Amino acid sequence: MPWNDKFECMPVKDLQKFQLKKFKETVALVSKKVPFYKKKLKEMGIKAEDIKTLEDVVKLPFTVKNDLRDNYPFGLCAVPMKEVCRVHASSGTTGKPITGPYTAEDLGHWSECMARNLWAAGIRPDDIVQNAYGHGLFTGGLGFHQGLSLIGCAVVPTSSGLTERQITLLKDFGANALCCTPSYALTIAERAAELKVDFRALPLRVGVFGAEPWSISMRREIEDRTGIKAMEAYGLTELGGPGVSFDCEAQDGLHINEDHFLAEIVDPATLEPLPLGEKGELIFTSLQRRAMPMLRYRTKDITRLRREKCSCGRTLLKMDKVFGRTDDMLIISGVNVFPSQIESLLLEVEEVEPQYRLVVRKKGYLDQLIVQVEGKNEVYQAGAQKRLEVAAKVAGHIKGMMGIGVEVELVEPKFIARSEGKALRVVDERPKQLR
């Protein structure tokens, strides 16, 4: 049974009727209250009254991350600051941070979306949930906290880091569920094994992971190492945080909370709309957000959308697990390469750990990809010859499956820094002017 039958199982025609009403309200709001959108719409000759159908979304301008940075901190706010009751922000590692202001109504909607996500993962009021997402400006920790609190379960807000303490609390408090990034889940599992703590002996049964791209192979790796069910939460700071879409028990695509988000897929090169079932860049328009509504926000995430009946009973549109990001995509020997593709192939090689880093360097006029991956302890300790053999095996597997030649460096265990939040998977060492 879904958390909210009314919207999660609503007949599609009724849901789209609701979407259109909220869509029109959003366009009217930003055209009056947000100078950035007011100017854009005027330049394009578009008025709020021109929006008649959901398909009219293609008439509207796109919004990109730089638009948020250019209007930092609150230039895209549609309400006066006296109505804002919280502000979140991205890390800002590649420029000014992306801010996310919320009204009280926005926080209520966010909590609702997160409750749907967590309920679909199997979390119930009598559960104890360890929330190891970072608490603070990052949307993860408090977003999950709100959804868990709405469900009514006991929340252990550990935040990220202090991994041994995380393990101690998992044992002592008897948590049934763990919430964190997938890479940090692996870090916790790895440290638990070193401490001789049997994850499978814990009451833990499910984890809800997100905030970074992760492959189906990574999900299986987490489940194999921990014995728990690995479920997903998808979202973005720009759209209000996690809770945009989520796994159900079928784990056959992520259900989008369509009463809050209007989704599209476009060709990332031409920006032309693509039909359902075609792979492209995911675009979202927020439908009920009041503090900072977004029109056609380019997520940079590559996926596809599907409208099909789900065994769980939900009628919400599905998106495939994110295949990769356009800004993470590398072009090696003319081939588009996503880190998630490399990740899946590495997890098929039994001699290596699921800890890797992709280093891009310039070799003459060509880009060179170096795959650094940790060998399992017994493999690494077997000597230089064994390490060369395994490195050659990994390189051959990547060549055979993707058709590209890469240099593989089999590094010692713990060589790659462990993640307590989002994992750093790509290191670009090329001179900036040559990227």
Side-chain angles (χ1 to χ4, degrees):
M1 179 71 72
W3 170 260
N4 186 330
D5 277 7
K6 178 182 177 182
F7 285 107
E8 294 180 70
C9 302
M10 183 180 281
V12 174
K13 286 186 178 180
D14 293 341
L15 181 56
Q16 291 176 337
K17 184 177 179 181
F18 179 87
Q19 282 185 303
L20 181 57
K21 178 176 181 291
K22 295 299 180 182
F23 180 34
K24 289 179 177 180
E25 290 175 4
T26 296
V27 177
L29 176 65
V30 300
S31 65
K32 291 178 182 177
K33 301 293 186 180
V34 183
F36 169 78
Y37 284 125
K38 187 175 183 179
K39 181 183 176 185
K40 281 265 191 180
L41 293 170
K42 186 176 181 180
E43 289 173 348
M44 298 175 73
I46 300 167
K47 297 179 181 179
E49 308 86 72
D50 295 333
I51 302 301
K52 307 291 186 185
T53 68
L54 291 176
E55 288 70 29
D56 286 336
V57 70
V58 300
K59 298 177 180 178
L60 301 176
F62 289 102
T63 308
V64 298
K65 186 166 287 190
N66 278 342
D67 294 328
L68 280 77
R69 290 183 178 136
D70 292 344
N71 288 278
Y72 173 87
F74 305 123
L76 294 181
C77 240
V79 300
M81 287 305 291
K82 67 180 182 180
E83 293 182 26
V84 172
C85 62
R86 192 192 296 172
V87 178
H88 281 282
S90 68
S91 60
T93 53
T94 57
K96 288 182 179 178
I98 301 302
T99 51
Y102 302 77
T103 64
E105 184 181 4
D106 290 336
L107 289 180
H109 289 320
W110 189 16
S111 299
E112 163 68 18
C113 288
M114 283 307 304
R116 295 179 192 179
N117 191 152
L118 295 158
W119 189 268
I123 293 175
R124 297 295 182 264
D126 56 353
D127 282 326
I128 301 171
V129 184
Q130 189 153 315
N131 182 6
Y133 278 101
H135 288 55
L137 284 177
F138 171 59
T139 56
L142 288 174
F144 273 79
H145 188 99
Q146 290 165 196
L148 293 166
S149 297
L150 189 57
I151 288 175
C153 45
V155 187
V156 185
T158 56
S159 193
S160 58
L162 301 174
T163 304
E164 289 190 22
R165 187 164 179 258
Q166 300 274 3
I167 296 163
T168 297
L169 295 179
L170 283 171
K171 289 192 302 178
D172 294 350
F173 290 6
N176 311 109
L178 172 67
C179 301
C180 62
T181 62
S183 54
Y184 191 44
L186 282 176
T187 298
I188 293 173
E190 180 182 64
R191 186 65 185 132
E194 292 169 353
L195 296 171
K196 309 297 183 188
V197 174
D198 183 4
F199 241 74
R200 294 173 184 274
L202 300 176
L204 205 60
R205 72 170 191 278
V206 66
V208 186
F209 308 123
E212 62 187 12
W214 55 307
S215 62
I216 292 174
S217 299
M218 178 69 82
R219 184 176 74 197
R220 294 193 188 110
E221 182 75 15
I222 292 171
E223 292 179 340
D224 289 345
R225 290 188 174 221
T226 63
I228 68 175
K229 190 69 176 171
M231 305 292 283
E232 183 160 4
Y234 172 87
L236 309 90
T237 299
E238 298 87 338
L239 272 300
V244 173
S245 66
F246 57 91
D247 262 337
C248 68
E249 62 266 28
Q251 289 192 308
D252 179 29
L254 308 179
H255 292 285
I256 296 170
N257 279 313
E258 284 191 275
D259 50 324
H260 292 273
F261 306 99
L262 179 62
E264 309 170 67
I265 292 289
V266 303
D267 183 311
T270 67
L271 300 184
E272 289 298 313
L274 295 175
L276 290 179
E278 291 288 323
K279 187 184 291 183
E281 182 179 346
L282 182 61
I283 310 294
F284 279 119
T285 296
S286 52
L287 298 178
Q288 298 199 56
R289 198 172 178 197
R290 288 297 164 258
M292 198 173 79
M294 288 281 105
L295 297 185
R296 303 193 83 192
Y297 182 73
R298 293 186 61 185
T299 67
K300 300 293 188 76
D301 289 331
I302 302 298
T303 184
R304 67 184 179 116
L305 300 177
R306 293 179 277 145
R307 177 76 71 187
E308 57 190 36
K309 186 175 181 180
C310 185
S311 59
C312 73
R314 291 176 178 84
T315 55
L316 299 170
L317 187 69
K318 287 183 180 181
M319 56 178 274
D320 280 359
K321 209 171 193 342
V322 171
F323 179 76
R325 289 181 55 80
T326 58
D327 50 4
D328 278 348
M329 186 183 77
L330 306 169
I331 301 177
I332 306 296
S333 301
V335 178
N336 294 345
V337 178
F338 291 97
S340 57
Q341 292 173 290
I342 301 289
E343 176 180 284
S344 294
L345 295 176
L346 292 176
L347 289 169
E348 293 173 0
V349 180
E350 62 182 3
E351 292 93 342
V352 303
E353 295 285 357
Q355 301 290 347
Y356 70 96
R357 186 168 62 187
L358 308 183
V359 181
V360 188
R361 296 175 183 149
K362 210 72 180 175
K363 189 174 183 181
Y365 293 103
L366 302 176
D367 289 333
Q368 180 186 28
L369 178 61
I370 296 95
V371 178
Q372 295 177 336
V373 59
E374 290 182 9
K376 289 187 175 175
N377 189 58
E378 61 273 19
V379 172
Y380 194 85
Q381 297 302 327
Q385 184 58 40
K386 180 63 174 178
R387 294 196 288 271
L388 288 172
E389 290 174 5
V390 174
K393 178 180 178 180
V394 172
H397 187 45
I398 293 172
K399 176 75 171 178
M401 297 301 292
M402 297 183 65
I404 60 169
V406 301
E407 179 182 333
V408 175
E409 294 179 1
L410 196 75
V411 297
E412 63 184 318
K414 297 299 181 69
F415 175 85
I416 294 169
R418 295 307 188 253
S419 168
E420 295 178 355
K422 296 186 181 183
L424 177 64
R425 296 301 192 195
V426 179
V427 178
D428 197 334
E429 296 182 351
R430 294 172 295 179
K432 285 188 177 181
Q433 65 271 25
L434 296 178
R435 293 181 185 180

